[in-house]
Amino acid sequence: MTGPGYGRHTAGLVLLLGVVLIWVGSSFLVSNLFGEQEFNRPFFITYLNTSTFSLYLVGTCVSRLKSATHRRLARRKRSRSDDGDSAPQQEGIDTAATAGASRRVNANHGVNAEHRMHARSRSDERLLLADSATEHKLTTRETVRLGVGFSVLWFAANVAQNASLAYTTVASSSILCSTSGLFTLAIGALAGVETFTTARLGAVVASTLGVYCVMVSGAEATSAHMPRAWVGDGLALLSAALYGCYTTLLKRRVGDESRLDAPLFFGAVGLANIVLLWPGLIILDVTGLEPFILPRTGSVWAMVAVNALVGTFVSDYLWLQAMLMTSPLVVTLGLALTIPLSMAGDVLLKGVEVSLPYYVGALLVLAAFIG
C-alpha cells in the first residue's frame, strides 16, 4: 500500500511506538512511587495527571485571541480599501460636465461595477470553499461535550487499572488489561468502526496469548498471597472494557484527526476532571480507602510531576493522534508492546531472569502488532 494513507498510517505507528516508550518509563516511575516511596495513591495520581490536560486551554485561548485580532485587522483594511475606491468614482460622476463625458463615466463605472461583482463572486466562492473544508470539523461545543464524556471514561479506566494492583499481582492485572483488544474489536465491530475479519481476530488472540506467556514467565506472586485477588482481577477486566469503550467512542465520533481540535479537546478533558471528580478525593479520605496525603519530599513531588507532564500530558496527546491515524484496534494491540518492554527493563535494570515463554510471548505480541 502506498500513497498519503500509507504515510499517515506509518506516522501513526511511529507516534504509537513513542507512546509505548513513554508509558513503559512512566510505569517504572509509578512502580517506584507505590513501592520504594510508599506513596500508594492511585486516585490522587490519576486525578493530578488528568488535570494537567487543562493546560492545553492556555494555548488554545492564546491561539484564538491571535486569530480574532488578525481577522479584525483584515476587516479594517478591507473597509479602508473599499472607502478609498468609492470616493474617486463618486467625485467623477458628480463633476461630469457634458453628456458624452457622463456616458463615458457611466460606462467606466459599469465596467468597474462588473469587475467588482466578479471579484466579489470569486471572494464568495473562496469563502464557500473554506466553509466546505471546515464544516466537517467538530464545533467548539461538540468538542467540549466529547471531552467531558471522554474524561469520565478515561479516568475510570485508569483508576480501575491502578486500583487493581492493590488486590492482585502486576502479572494478573497486565494480562487482564491486555484483553482490551478483544473488547475493542467486539465494540468496534458493533459500532461499525472496526471490520471483524479472521486476520484481526487472529491478531487479537496472538497478542493476548503473547501477553499471557510473557507475564506468567515473570510472575512472582500468586493469588494465595492475596485472598481478594478476584477483586483486583475484576477491576483490571473493567479497565480493559472501558478502554475498548472510549477508544471506539473517539474513533466513531471523530474519525479523521483533522476534524478534532486536539488541544481544545484535551483541555476540556482536564477541566472536566478538575470540576467533576474532586469530590472523589474527599469521599476516599472520609471512608479511609485512600487517605488524602500530599507527597512529603521534593523527590516524590518531582516524580509525580514528571509522571503527570510527560507520562500523561504529552503521551496521551500522542496516543490520540496515533489512534486517529490508525485505528483503535491497532493502538490497542500496539500498546501490548509495553509488556515485553517492561519485562526487558526488569531484566536489564533489576536483573530479573526470564524463561523461554517470555521470548515466545514477545514474538507473538510483535507479530500481532506488525500484522
Side-chain angles (χ1 to χ4, degrees):
M1 180 174 64
T2 60
Y6 177 77
R8 180 168 168 270
H9 187 82
T10 302
L13 293 179
V14 172
L15 291 179
L16 179 58
L17 291 176
V19 172
V20 168
L21 293 176
I22 292 176
W23 281 6
V24 168
S26 177
S27 296
F28 280 102
L29 191 62
V30 172
S31 176
N32 187 270
L33 281 172
F34 287 178
E36 288 84 345
Q37 304 299 329
E38 299 182 351
F39 191 71
N40 190 0
R41 299 292 184 272
F43 190 94
F44 172 79
I45 289 178
T46 307
Y47 181 82
L48 181 62
N49 288 351
T50 314
S51 297
T52 60
F53 288 156
S54 61
L55 297 176
Y56 282 111
L57 291 177
V58 177
T60 299
C61 291
V62 171
S63 176
R64 296 198 172 196
L65 285 175
K66 288 183 177 180
S67 298
T69 302
H70 290 161
R71 286 195 297 269
R72 285 196 299 269
L73 292 175
R75 283 196 297 267
R76 290 176 184 175
K77 289 181 179 179
R78 287 196 297 270
S79 177
R80 286 196 296 267
S81 176
D82 292 341
D83 292 341
D85 290 341
S86 61
Q89 293 167 2
Q90 185 63 40
E91 182 181 354
I93 295 173
D94 293 340
T95 58
T98 63
S102 178
R103 286 193 297 271
R104 286 193 298 271
V105 170
N106 288 334
N108 291 334
H109 179 70
V111 172
N112 290 336
E114 185 178 357
H115 287 169
R116 286 195 298 273
M117 288 178 63
H118 285 301
R120 192 173 293 111
S121 177
R122 289 193 296 270
S123 177
D124 291 341
E125 289 177 0
R126 286 193 294 269
L127 290 175
L128 288 174
L129 289 174
D131 291 340
S132 64
T134 58
E135 66 180 357
H136 69 289
K137 289 182 69 69
L138 296 181
T139 64
T140 299
R141 177 174 295 184
E142 290 173 335
T143 303
V144 171
R145 290 179 61 183
L146 183 65
V148 172
F150 178 82
S151 174
V152 176
L153 287 173
W154 189 95
F155 190 90
N158 282 271
V159 166
Q161 181 181 5
N162 290 332
S164 70
L165 297 175
Y167 300 99
T168 189
T169 63
V170 176
S172 296
S173 177
S174 298
I175 291 169
L176 291 172
C177 285
S178 72
T179 61
S180 59
L182 296 174
F183 287 102
T184 301
L185 179 59
I187 298 172
L190 292 175
V193 175
E194 297 287 353
T195 303
F196 192 89
T197 63
T198 304
R200 288 197 163 188
L201 179 61
V204 171
V205 173
S207 178
T208 304
L209 289 175
V211 170
Y212 178 81
C213 291
V214 168
M215 294 310 301
V216 166
S217 69
E220 297 179 356
T222 63
S223 59
H225 302 94
M226 298 180 175
R228 301 181 65 185
W230 62 271
V231 176
D233 293 343
L235 288 171
L237 198 60
L238 175 63
S239 176
L242 290 173
Y243 182 93
C245 286
Y246 71 65
T247 52
T248 304
L249 167 68
L250 277 177
K251 189 65 177 181
R252 179 178 175 80
R253 187 65 185 86
V254 178
D256 191 271
E257 75 276 4
S258 63
R259 299 187 65 229
L260 183 69
D261 184 347
L264 176 61
F265 168 76
F266 275 111
V269 170
L271 187 59
N273 175 83
I274 294 172
V275 174
L276 299 177
L277 300 177
W278 64 267
L281 296 170
I282 299 177
I283 294 173
L284 292 176
D285 182 59
V286 171
T287 57
L289 295 175
E290 185 180 309
F292 182 76
I293 299 175
L294 295 175
R296 293 189 173 91
T297 64
S299 60
V300 174
W301 268 117
M303 295 171 68
V304 170
V306 169
N307 179 63
L309 294 175
V310 180
T312 301
F313 182 74
V314 174
S315 67
D316 278 66
Y317 180 85
L318 299 179
W319 167 85
L320 175 63
Q321 297 301 317
M323 190 271 292
L324 294 175
M325 289 180 179
T326 56
S327 75
L329 184 60
V330 169
V331 170
T332 300
L333 295 176
L335 291 180
L337 288 169
T338 58
I339 306 302
L341 288 177
S342 297
M343 291 298 297
D346 283 336
V347 172
L348 297 175
L349 300 177
K350 299 182 179 181
V352 176
E353 294 183 0
V354 294
S355 58
L356 181 62
Y358 162 73
Y359 298 103
V360 174
L363 289 176
L364 286 172
V365 173
L366 286 173
F369 176 61
I370 296 173

